[in-house]
Amino acid sequence: MIINGQKFDLKELKFMDFIKEKGLKTEFIALELNGEIIPKSEFENLILKENDKAEIVSFVGGG
């Protein structure tokens, strides 16, 4: 799988485990998985698979 351009040699990865490991908060991210935006309501049960391509975008406030 590829996440934000980085290749991971895993067959499966629980999305929420990855998010927690990276210290990200679900309320501040968006996920595009294989070209589709995934609703936050699906994050908890989402399993990334071997051939998936994911882009995680983190929102940063400022002014």
Side-chain angles (χ1 to χ4, degrees):
M1 75 192 60
I2 298 174
I3 303 174
N4 288 4
Q6 184 178 358
K7 186 169 176 25
F8 292 84
D9 290 323
L10 302 169
K11 292 202 181 279
E12 290 186 346
L13 174 64
K14 187 171 182 188
F15 181 68
M16 289 303 294
D17 289 348
F18 182 81
I19 293 303
K20 288 175 185 171
E21 179 182 312
K22 297 296 180 185
L24 299 172
K25 296 184 185 285
T26 57
E27 57 267 23
F28 299 119
I29 64 170
L31 172 63
E32 177 186 310
L33 180 60
N34 302 320
E36 293 187 33
I37 302 297
I38 304 300
K40 290 184 188 326
S41 61
E42 295 182 22
F43 286 4
E44 191 63 41
N45 297 315
L46 184 64
I47 305 290
L48 302 177
K49 305 284 186 193
E50 189 173 14
N51 294 317
D52 283 343
K53 183 175 181 185
E55 291 292 328
I56 301 169
V57 179
S58 190
F59 300 101
V60 178

